[in-house]
Amino acid sequence: MTYLWYIPNTVQPGHRGDDAVDGYGTLDHSTELALTAERHGWEGALIGTGWGRPDTFTVATAIAARTTTFRPLAAIRPGYWQPAHFASAAATLDHLSGGRLLINIVSGKDNLAAYGDVEGDQAQRYGRTKEFMRLVRRLWTEENVTFNGSHFRVEGSTVAPRVEGNGPRLYFGGASAAAEKVAATEADVQLFWGEPLEGIAERIDRLRKLTNDLDRDLPELEFGLRITTVVRETSAEAWHDAEARVEAMADYVESRHDRQFDQHRGPAVGQQRLLDLAARGDVLDSCLYTAPGRYGGGGAGTTWLVGSADEVSAALMKYAELGISHFVLSDTPYQRETARVGDALISRLRAALPDRHALPDQDALPDQEVLPDQEALRDQEVLRDQVKPSTDQVQSGPGKSS
């Protein structure tokens, strides 16, 4: 089992109601979040991507230099990167960090024209993503690679340094038929948003069938869940805080006559599936809260698991029974909740769940050069208690990257 958190990667503070202001966006602030994750049981964290944000790969590299076990799950976009450029950059960071790099491939919409990319239709977008992922793997595992595809080409390309094994693991998201075909043949881990158990079970069954139908030639496809978790000492306290936060989000939207969240209702199939859940009720399964999506919650903030540590861990175990083996969780304020949720959930989950599909133990990896300054900021931790309502539009996660 793999347990990852989330580190915000935006220029402006306040992501999903985070309360950090002083120092937000600095390397010290992001590093402290990563160090807090290390101290409280998390193996690493997703770092989102999107034009208008700091460059994700640069942020991941800087954080890796100041941590020892933290694994950045860096979200990247084909088109922003060319395959050979990315394969080389990723191989270098993976080597310098001692094999800690993880990658989230994102194909969702972005301001492509701003960096010279071209918007295609869904078939073109996922066709390019498939080609990108396949070529990157070849560059990591073969030498003198020549490839002439529909979207990319290289000639006599050998990436240095060489990666250990097959290279960093590739996470991927997307709920459309086109996206699922790419996941079935090219991804190591398919990420899902926080859908009810029956929806996740249906998608896992479909993807497993696709891996057979499409003659997958990689190791078995694994599955992950990206969701917000509101965890408190008691169920009553958790629901009080969750409902108060949604009420504040609703008031904020109404006061601004803001309907920007309606833009989620577009061609993104996974996001639409989440928004449609609210029509089935505010609470699904044991503790899946759907109301946030009505008032600006997007991506991983559209649905929340709410309850005591026992209740939320029990809900996550139900997902694990379906085949989920990677959890990418979050809540705000990030600094406080990184510690609270890690302490509340991870020991319970590790005790109850088999360690299938665990990430490799860093101590077992071959000796590699490690980035310096890994003990910097080790003893700092600031706990913040204020939560601000937010209608932040998410740019990341499964299918996007948050």
Side-chain angles (χ1 to χ4, degrees):
M1 307 300 290
T2 300
Y3 304 98
L4 302 173
W5 190 248
Y6 178 81
I7 289 181
N9 181 35
T10 57
V11 174
Q12 298 298 323
H15 183 259
R16 292 206 180 109
D18 189 27
D19 67 350
V21 176
D22 293 340
Y24 183 85
T26 65
L27 178 56
D28 284 355
H29 177 75
S30 296
T31 299
E32 180 52 31
L33 291 176
L35 290 170
T36 301
E38 282 190 341
R39 287 193 290 266
H40 294 276
W42 303 101
E43 292 159 70
L46 172 64
I47 305 172
T49 190
W51 189 252
R53 293 185 176 197
D55 176 77
T56 306
F57 216 77
T58 304
V59 173
T61 300
I63 292 175
R66 292 193 172 194
T67 54
T68 53
T69 63
F70 177 86
R71 306 195 70 170
L73 174 53
I76 68 102
R77 292 176 180 274
Y80 181 90
W81 289 90
Q82 292 292 305
H85 296 152
F86 172 71
S88 177
T92 301
L93 178 52
D94 197 54
H95 171 74
L96 292 176
S97 66
R100 286 188 277 149
L101 180 63
L102 305 168
I103 300 297
N104 181 31
I105 304 291
V106 177
S107 292
K109 290 184 176 295
D110 197 21
N111 185 8
L112 305 182
Y115 47 89
D117 200 9
V118 178
E119 180 71 59
D121 61 17
Q122 186 185 71
Q124 182 274 343
R125 188 165 70 250
Y126 284 107
R128 182 174 72 166
T129 298
K130 177 181 175 68
E131 201 170 278
F132 181 94
M133 296 169 75
R134 178 64 51 155
L135 178 53
V136 163
R137 286 191 193 276
R138 287 193 60 192
L139 290 165
W140 283 338
T141 57
E142 302 175 24
E143 297 183 6
N144 197 32
V145 174
T146 295
F147 178 87
N148 188 5
S150 300
H151 306 281
F152 303 108
R153 64 180 60 190
V154 297
E155 184 173 347
S157 182
T158 299
V159 166
R162 305 305 296 166
V163 299
E164 293 292 333
N166 294 324
R169 308 194 81 192
L170 301 182
Y171 290 64
F172 184 72
S176 68
E180 289 188 341
K181 288 179 180 177
V182 174
T185 59
E186 309 303 329
D188 293 307
V189 181
Q190 164 75 41
L191 285 174
F192 304 120
W193 298 125
E195 296 187 37
L197 293 166
E198 64 176 351
I200 298 294
E202 172 192 322
R203 293 192 62 196
I204 288 176
D205 288 345
R206 184 166 63 247
L207 280 158
R208 284 175 170 162
K209 183 176 186 301
L210 275 173
T211 63
N212 293 324
D213 293 346
L214 299 176
D215 297 322
R216 177 183 174 87
D217 58 2
L218 298 172
E220 179 184 0
L221 179 63
E222 300 168 21
F223 304 100
L225 182 70
R226 172 74 185 101
I227 194 169
T228 295
T229 47
V230 180
V231 181
R232 300 293 186 267
E233 288 292 327
T234 67
S235 179
E237 182 184 357
W239 281 105
H240 175 273
D241 288 357
E243 289 169 350
R245 191 186 306 180
V246 168
E247 184 178 354
M249 291 167 65
D251 290 344
Y252 183 71
V253 168
E254 184 176 354
S255 71
R256 294 181 57 201
H257 303 288
D258 187 350
R259 296 296 180 266
Q260 289 181 351
F261 58 87
D262 288 340
Q263 72 187 20
H264 283 304
R265 294 189 174 271
V269 175
Q271 182 65 62
Q272 189 63 60
R273 285 172 66 100
L274 290 187
L275 291 167
D276 290 344
L277 293 175
R280 295 169 50 183
D282 278 356
V283 183
L284 304 178
D285 294 339
S286 61
C287 60
L288 183 66
Y289 193 30
T290 68
R294 295 195 187 102
Y295 305 109
T302 311
T303 57
W304 307 343
L305 290 175
V306 179
S308 67
D310 286 338
E311 290 168 338
V312 174
S313 60
L316 293 171
M317 289 177 205
K318 291 292 186 183
Y319 286 104
E321 290 171 6
L322 300 178
I324 297 293
S325 57
H326 300 255
F327 293 105
V328 185
L329 310 180
S330 64
D331 193 20
T332 57
Y334 289 109
Q335 183 73 48
R336 183 187 73 194
E337 297 306 314
T338 303
R340 188 213 300 261
V341 178
D343 291 348
L345 297 185
I346 293 178
S347 61
R348 284 175 167 82
L349 294 171
R350 289 196 187 283
L353 297 174
D355 202 26
R356 68 181 190 276
H357 300 322
L359 296 175
D361 184 347
Q362 296 303 300
D363 293 336
L365 291 172
D367 289 340
Q368 292 176 291
E369 181 180 356
V370 179
L371 291 165
D373 198 23
Q374 293 175 333
E375 298 301 323
L377 305 178
R378 172 66 64 185
D379 297 322
Q380 298 180 24
E381 183 169 359
V382 179
L383 301 182
R384 297 178 172 92
D385 297 317
Q386 301 301 314
V387 178
K388 299 177 183 177
S390 173
T391 56
D392 181 70
Q393 298 303 305
V394 184
Q395 299 182 39
S396 59
K400 294 192 179 178
S401 74
S402 149

